[in-house]
Amino acid sequence: MRNHVKEKLRAGKVAVGAWMSILNSDAARAVAASGLDWVLFDTEHGPLSFETVDRLVRSVCGAGAVPLVRVVWNDINAIKQALDTGALGVVVPWVNSKEEAENAVTYCLYAPEGLRGCAPGRAASAWGISAEEYLDTVNDEVLVAVQIETRKAVENIEEIVSVEGVDATFIGPADLSASMGYRGRYFHPEVVKAMDRVLEACNAAGVAPGIAFGRDVDHINSLIEQGFRFIGIGSDVGFLSTGCRETLKKIKR
């Protein structure tokens, strides 16, 4: 049970992943085995129950991509449930202050470093290891990514990324643009300026700068060139649709 995403980010490398919305274990495992670094199951805006999250996370453990869960809120119970599936990290929405970032980290870690409830059996079984092995390693392996999606979060970004245990930020362009008065204009120049401040603060603090999505492949490559390293590059549904369209273009009919 190794979190190679966390390793890559610590080494200054890029880790790309996909949003998962097809609630099927075979589909999830196929995407996880495709070469992506991580896959993200979304319980904030997605329709997933924790029974479904548990099944999907277990289906991708060891398949290649690291399973992550975006929790519904910065809540100790939501984070505990997410990690108990075997997920090796969480994306925590709406983190606006240093205190909220500290809470997110604390909720992810077993005592004495944190407050995560200690029931390791199910998560350990997802990885085929003993509960003792899981307990010995998971505090070092769990990835904590905090979403930066409000004007307030940008104003407090230097304090947020100063929190020990925050591995990455994850800018949400949709909510950030709305918070700044540019709803729907995800990459308005003023929003991009705010993103640049987040990028600069992350680099100064040694935290991986991340972003939920880009406009297209060319834009994602430009984000990487700018220094973003924890990046959503698409979704399982999007990849399926794109693959179908590209194949049909080549079929003579």
Side-chain angles (χ1 to χ4, degrees):
M1 187 187 71
R2 290 176 51 208
N3 192 333
H4 60 80
V5 170
K6 194 164 180 174
E7 291 175 359
K8 290 185 77 169
L9 296 178
R10 282 178 170 173
K13 298 179 180 179
V14 175
V16 299
W19 298 80
M20 307 296 288
S21 57
I22 300 174
L23 309 184
N24 177 275
S25 297
D26 291 336
R29 191 168 182 87
V31 175
S34 68
L36 291 168
D37 297 301
W38 51 268
V39 290
L40 180 63
F41 301 99
D42 183 15
T43 66
E44 184 190 14
H45 292 297
L48 290 79
S49 68
F50 265 102
E51 180 180 359
T52 302
V53 174
D54 182 73
R55 172 173 54 81
L56 294 175
V57 168
R58 292 175 74 86
S59 74
V60 304
C61 287
V66 171
L68 308 175
V69 175
R70 179 162 73 170
V71 293
V72 67
W73 198 246
N74 189 4
D75 173 81
I76 190 169
N77 293 310
I79 290 174
K80 174 173 58 180
Q81 282 187 306
L83 294 177
D84 282 353
T85 66
L88 281 185
V90 292
V91 173
V92 183
W94 220 256
V95 173
N96 292 317
S97 68
K98 181 177 182 179
E99 180 182 5
E100 290 172 357
E102 290 171 338
N103 287 343
V105 173
T106 298
Y107 299 158
C108 287
L109 303 178
Y110 287 127
E113 293 85 358
L115 295 174
R116 179 182 173 189
C118 193
R122 188 162 188 80
S125 70
W127 290 96
I129 61 177
S130 69
E132 290 76 16
E133 289 174 301
Y134 182 83
L135 287 172
D136 285 345
T137 58
V138 71
N139 273 12
D140 293 327
E141 299 298 329
V142 66
L143 176 83
V144 182
V146 296
Q147 284 211 228
I148 305 301
E149 46 192 343
T150 68
R151 184 189 296 273
K152 182 179 179 181
V154 175
E155 292 171 351
N156 292 331
I157 189 60
E158 289 79 12
E159 291 187 357
I160 290 171
V161 296
S162 74
V163 174
E164 184 177 358
V166 170
D167 298 299
T169 57
F170 202 53
I171 292 173
D175 279 307
L176 180 57
S177 60
S179 173
M180 296 181 64
Y182 303 103
R183 187 176 60 213
R185 290 175 281 175
Y186 305 145
F187 298 99
H188 183 280
E190 291 300 315
V191 179
V192 171
K193 188 183 298 184
M195 293 178 180
D196 289 341
R197 177 173 172 179
V198 175
L199 182 62
E200 182 178 348
C202 286
N203 289 333
V207 171
I211 189 165
F213 61 85
R215 283 191 297 260
D216 52 32
V217 171
D218 289 338
H219 186 226
I220 289 169
N221 282 330
S222 73
L223 292 171
I224 293 172
E225 291 173 0
Q226 291 170 41
F228 286 97
R229 295 190 284 113
F230 180 61
I231 307 173
I233 64 168
S235 68
D236 50 5
V237 171
F239 295 144
L240 178 64
S241 298
T242 299
C244 186
R245 285 196 301 269
E246 292 303 311
T247 299
L248 286 171
K249 288 178 183 178
K250 300 172 185 177
I251 300 298
K252 298 178 181 179
R253 55 175 180 165

